[in-house]
Amino acid sequence: MIVELGRRSITEVHTNARNDLVTRAVQPARIQAITNIPDVFVSVRGPRDGIIHLEVYATSEAQADVEGLLKATLTLFDGTTFSTTRPIKLIAPKQHTPSPGTQAAPAPAYQLKRVWQRVPEDATDDISWSEVNYNAEKVGHWEPNADELWLYVNMDECQFQSERLRWGRRFGESTSERLVDRYIAYLAFHLFQLYDHSQKAAPTIPEDKGNGNGNDGSGIQSEIFDPESTFVIQELRRVAGTLIQTLRSEAELVRLQEAASNTEN
């Protein structure tokens, strides 16, 4: 898979999974997609009609001509896992000429807003739950504001708050701060992706066909991209949970490697 710096690339994973596989209230599955290349983000869409989309974005901080792996893992409620791995290579940005009569729409500038139940004294630019009607279940949302896009991340969302405290006790302040920054960056990227999709969404998404879906998800309207919709709320909770588990695993691996290194010395 070739990924151009500064642009989004998409690859498909085909499955016979139902559309509600990860959003169902009872025994939902979890889909995780990661790459071993620094400064590359991956977001997951679907499954829908038997297809899971993996969207890969390499930031301007990533290095061209770097090769690595993209791995997607599906974990069922009983712990059964299915995974697929694909090679990935980053390439330098190319010159893209728009089609006649078209003009590329620039991505809006964005501001990141950290939201706390009680704002820390040293976080003067952050805001409180009461200002945006948040609670412990809210992960985040986006909000267009004039020419900017504001991306809100709930620092005291229940699963993230618990994990932040755990990281501090287990890994120390420096590692904990790094993990928190990565969580915020990944979640903000996913919020932007949802916003971007909302701008491109058709008025109505056709009814599902096949895959044993029946009426599940039939006639879903474009308001699934409303930041306050049930679809988006469930999607963000899934993403937050996946991010926390991924960062936890990475931190544990680093801790074990450091412990082994100290033992050898």
Side-chain angles (χ1 to χ4, degrees), residues 15 19-20 22 27 43 52 66 94 103 106 112 129 134 146 157 161 166 171 198 210 215 265:
T15 174
N19 286 356
D20 66 347
V22 298
Q27 299 179 338
S43 62
I52 298 170
V66 172
K94 297 180 179 179
Q103 183 175 0
L112 182 62
W129 280 4
Y134 266 29
E157 186 269 335
Q161 181 194 54
R166 180 180 181 277
F171 305 119
S198 74
N215 291 325
N265 296 331

Side-chain angles (χ1 to χ4, degrees), residues 91-102:
I91 63 173
K94 297 180 179 179
Q95 193 72 23
H96 294 273
T97 304
S99 302
T102 65

Side-chain angles (χ1 to χ4, degrees), residues 151-178:
L151 306 174
Y152 296 80
V153 175
N154 188 357
M155 303 299 292
D156 286 323
E157 186 269 335
C158 54
Q159 55 183 342
F160 180 46
Q161 181 194 54
S162 175
E163 195 67 19
R164 280 196 300 108
L165 297 175
R166 180 180 181 277
W167 288 340
R169 293 192 300 266
R170 188 165 182 80
F171 305 119
E173 182 178 355
S174 177
T175 298
S176 176
E177 289 180 353
R178 178 175 59 82

